[in-house]
Amino acid sequence: MNTAAANPPAARPGDAATGPLPPVTAELPPSVGAFHYTRFAPWLPPLEQGVEPGRHPVVIAGGGPVGMSLALGLANHGVRSVILEADDTVCVGSRAACISRRSLEIVERLGALPAFLAKGLPWTGGRSFYKTEEVFRFEMAHDERQKLPPMINLEQYYIEQYLLDEIVRRNAAAPGLIDIRWGSTLTGFTQEADGLLLSARNALGDYALRGQWLAACDGGQSFVRKALGLDLVGTGYEGRYVIIDIELHSGHPTERRAWFDPPWNPGSTVLMHKQPDDIWRIDYQLRAGQSTEEALQPAAVQEFVQRHLDAIGEGHLPWHTVWTSVYRAGAMTLESYRHGRVVFAGNAAHAMPIFGVRGLNSGFDDADNLAWKLALVARGVSDASLLDSYSQERIAAFHVNAENAMRSTEFMSPPSRGFDLLREAALSLAGAHRGIANLINPRQTQAVGYAGSMLSSSGDALAAGPLPGEAMPEQQLADGSHLTGRLGPVFTVLLLNLPPADDALRAELSQAQEGPLPVALCELSPADAEPTVFAALGAAQGAVYLLRPDGHVAARWRRPPPGALPRALARAAALTTTKESA
């Protein structure tokens, strides 16, 4: 017999800027599949007249995936941080559940990749249906050069737990490197000449602390954003989606399925994803006039899910609800991600529609871009203008992501009758016309290049390979390993197919490695890689790439002329000759 939980955890409705809000409950969330929640106790640091002595290099507001990723990224560069997290558990519900290859590359740099891959479900494509007819099938790029799948499905509570596990490991090796304070809310802050004075509160009391920089990773309801009187600007959509996690023992493969105007829910769109522990994510569009509150009632959830499962041939299987929420799409951003000594990342900085899974994946990219820059600035190695490049690059990336996401959103949730007619025409013809069917392509997220970055230097026009600002693509090497395995979270000079006796270049490289920046050397000779690898990177006759700590290209040459490499390094890191960071 099919059953639905009487009172599964349910998020409160949010708007396009905030997304779903966490449920209000004093109880420990129930276990989901193999996942068991832990409640973390608050604590007060030693205080002197209500103030914590000293100054933290970085205070992070928000301990979700973006905040923890930023803390781990800072730790890669030896920079301590304090995380203030208002909740006392990791998150409830699947939330951001699709993790891209690019995000997995970032997670690898953070040290948490094995856990993600061990639990996550990899997938490469999906199918779309118009009523009951399959009209489109897509496959994401995947070949032997890649060591990571194009996408995995992994619920956000696992994502947060695995990042937390890595924080625990880091702290065991270097106590106090990442100080995560659970059940602690940032209640105020003032900017000073050399840092910030912040106030925090938990169940044990109020106190003040000082930080050199504040990173706002506190989500769509960002207290920091509101405290500065900042608003997200962009486009909000009327389309609302109910999100339902159910436990269902189905053997259907892991893929993205989308039904447009299905007979069992006419005028709507339904999405379905498989997640670990036999948890299935169902998103369905509310029609105009449908009540959000009524749709989240257990009886309404039960009726819809059963109707949907009956229609796809799985209504005979037992299932129960584990989480519900509601979402309204929006593509909005702050106009700047830096305000003095405050920087924004993740949903505190922008809102992204769920289509194409650019929400948390954009947040991982934010943290990856920001961590090394904030670390260099906090250490006094780089000028604070380096953080302006973070804002410039990530806002440009937002617009690239938003353009693709908005196209998908306008197809999934037509904003007007005209868009609705266009969608109906495309769907009715898609089964017979592949070109038209491409309009249904969800355009899944991928790495975004930073064209026009202030950190990039001009170089040579190679026959192939990533341009300055673009991410270095994965390459399989002759021994079966992969290029990213040889690239750490530091600046890297990549020498490709060059003779070993390039004395002038190697002298400059040696000098750079003795400077204030951590600079690594990665050299690939013909013995290390097939000719196709060198050809793909424009290095058939040799090439040199300067890679940033986030894997993006800062400069590239056939052979850098004298002085070009140190100049490109100085530009990419906004090096300063003083120890002032503001």
Side-chain angles (χ1 to χ4, degrees):
M1 179 178 179
N2 296 333
T3 60
N7 291 293
R12 295 169 285 152
D15 58 25
T18 65
L21 310 183
V24 178
T25 176
E27 299 178 359
L28 190 67
S31 298
V32 183
F35 187 84
H36 307 290
Y37 282 88
T38 300
R39 174 155 284 151
F40 302 100
W43 71 284
L44 285 176
L47 302 175
E48 295 179 359
Q49 297 182 331
V51 180
E52 183 180 3
R55 175 181 294 146
H56 302 284
V58 180
V59 176
I60 300 171
V66 177
M68 285 195 276
S69 294
L70 177 58
L72 286 166
L74 290 167
N76 281 344
H77 299 273
V79 174
R80 295 180 297 106
S81 63
V82 170
I83 300 175
L84 301 177
E85 169 51 44
D87 291 337
D88 60 1
T89 69
V90 298
C91 78
V92 177
S94 61
R95 300 180 183 243
C98 299
I99 307 302
S100 70
R101 174 183 287 137
R102 172 62 181 168
S103 292
L104 292 174
E105 291 175 356
I106 294 169
V107 169
E108 183 176 26
R109 285 196 283 274
L110 302 180
L113 181 64
F116 275 63
L117 293 182
K119 191 67 178 182
L121 302 180
W123 57 283
T124 60
R127 296 184 291 158
S128 297
F129 302 85
Y130 178 45
K131 300 187 185 298
T132 59
E133 177 191 5
E134 182 177 322
V135 293
F136 182 72
R137 185 177 295 225
F138 74 90
E139 290 288 331
M140 293 176 284
H142 188 58
D143 56 42
E144 67 279 356
R145 294 176 299 168
Q146 306 299 327
K147 71 176 178 182
L148 298 171
M151 201 79 68
I152 67 168
N153 285 350
L154 183 66
E155 298 96 333
Q156 187 169 320
Y157 43 81
Y158 276 119
I159 294 170
E160 293 187 9
Q161 185 62 55
Y162 295 152
L163 293 172
L164 177 60
D165 291 344
E166 180 60 22
I167 288 175
V168 171
R169 285 190 286 271
R170 299 289 187 101
N171 284 335
L177 185 60
I178 301 174
D179 181 353
I180 182 165
R181 301 179 182 180
W182 296 96
S184 298
T185 303
L186 178 67
T187 58
F189 60 91
T190 56
Q191 299 199 50
E192 302 173 333
D194 55 355
L196 303 100
L197 178 64
L198 309 103
S199 56
R201 174 181 302 147
N202 63 31
L204 303 178
D206 296 1
Y207 66 98
L209 66 161
R210 287 186 168 86
Q212 191 177 351
W213 294 91
L214 171 62
C217 304
D218 50 346
Q221 286 288 304
S222 175
F223 166 81
V224 178
R225 191 177 69 218
K226 293 176 181 177
L228 290 176
L230 303 173
D231 294 315
L232 299 180
V233 297
T235 302
Y237 292 94
E238 293 301 317
R240 295 162 297 150
Y241 277 78
V242 171
I243 303 172
I244 306 169
D245 284 353
I246 65 172
E247 184 171 349
L248 171 74
H249 300 284
S250 166
H252 193 88
T254 307
E255 62 177 0
R256 175 195 183 271
R257 284 181 287 174
W259 293 266
F260 297 95
D261 196 20
W264 58 95
N265 203 50
S268 174
T269 302
V270 182
L271 305 173
M272 194 168 184
H273 273 284
K274 184 178 184 178
Q275 301 176 102
D277 300 334
D278 289 318
I279 304 300
W280 290 79
R281 165 80 169 261
I282 302 173
D283 303 57
Y284 80 92
Q285 182 186 6
L286 289 176
R287 295 185 294 272
Q290 280 188 284
S291 165
T292 298
E293 291 73 18
E294 291 179 4
L296 292 177
Q297 292 298 313
V301 171
Q302 163 79 19
E303 190 276 334
F304 172 80
V305 173
Q306 188 61 55
R307 180 158 34 97
H308 174 68
L309 294 179
D310 287 342
I312 66 173
E314 298 192 337
H316 62 288
L317 299 175
W319 64 275
H320 68 268
T321 309
V322 297
W323 183 69
T324 61
S325 181
V326 67
Y327 179 83
R328 176 172 287 165
M332 292 177 283
T333 180
L334 288 174
E335 294 179 324
S336 174
Y337 293 176
R338 180 194 173 197
H339 293 263
R341 288 186 170 269
V342 180
V343 288
F344 289 84
N347 286 347
H350 47 72
M352 197 72 67
I354 61 174
F355 312 115
V357 296
R358 292 174 173 84
L360 177 55
N361 290 302
S362 291
F364 276 125
D365 258 324
D366 288 349
D368 192 44
N369 187 298
L370 177 58
W372 65 272
K373 297 176 179 179
L374 188 53
L376 290 177
V377 172
R379 288 169 45 204
V381 173
S382 297
D383 186 80
S385 63
L386 187 61
L387 299 178
D388 295 327
S389 77
Y390 160 71
S391 181
Q392 176 213 43
E393 291 178 351
R394 293 308 300 154
I395 288 176
F398 165 83
H399 288 294
V400 172
N401 279 317
E403 181 180 0
N404 284 296
M406 288 167 69
R407 289 179 189 172
S408 295
T409 302
E410 288 166 351
F411 196 89
M412 303 293 287
S413 303
S416 67
R417 180 56 182 160
F419 277 95
D420 198 32
L421 290 171
L422 176 63
R423 187 178 84 157
E424 289 178 13
L427 288 167
S428 64
L429 295 171
H433 300 278
R434 176 69 187 187
I436 293 176
N438 282 325
L439 293 171
I440 307 172
N441 193 331
R443 290 178 284 272
Q444 303 286 21
T445 184
Q446 55 186 332
V448 176
Y450 302 133
S453 170
M454 64 177 69
L455 305 184
S456 297
S457 295
S458 60
D460 296 328
L462 305 180
L467 298 170
E470 295 180 348
M472 174 60 67
E474 184 65 279
Q475 302 292 333
Q476 187 176 44
L477 305 181
D479 62 359
S481 65
H482 290 80
L483 177 58
T484 53
R486 303 194 184 191
L487 305 178
V490 296
F491 281 96
T492 301
V493 178
L494 181 59
L495 304 183
L496 300 172
N497 200 21
L498 290 180
D502 198 332
D503 295 337
L505 173 59
R506 294 177 188 279
E508 283 194 346
L509 177 57
S510 177
Q511 185 176 8
Q513 291 178 308
E514 295 173 359
L517 285 175
V519 179
L521 169 65
C522 178
E523 187 166 5
L524 298 183
S525 71
D528 299 309
E530 298 293 332
T532 53
V533 171
F534 295 123
L537 299 178
Q541 304 301 318
V544 177
Y545 282 84
L546 173 61
L547 303 181
R548 305 173 354 171
D550 54 13
H552 287 257
V553 176
R556 64 179 197 170
W557 307 270
R558 293 187 184 88
R559 302 287 191 283
L565 177 58
R567 286 194 299 270
L569 265 171
R571 178 168 182 166
L575 291 181
T576 176
T577 57
T578 73
K579 291 299 179 182
E580 297 297 323
S581 59

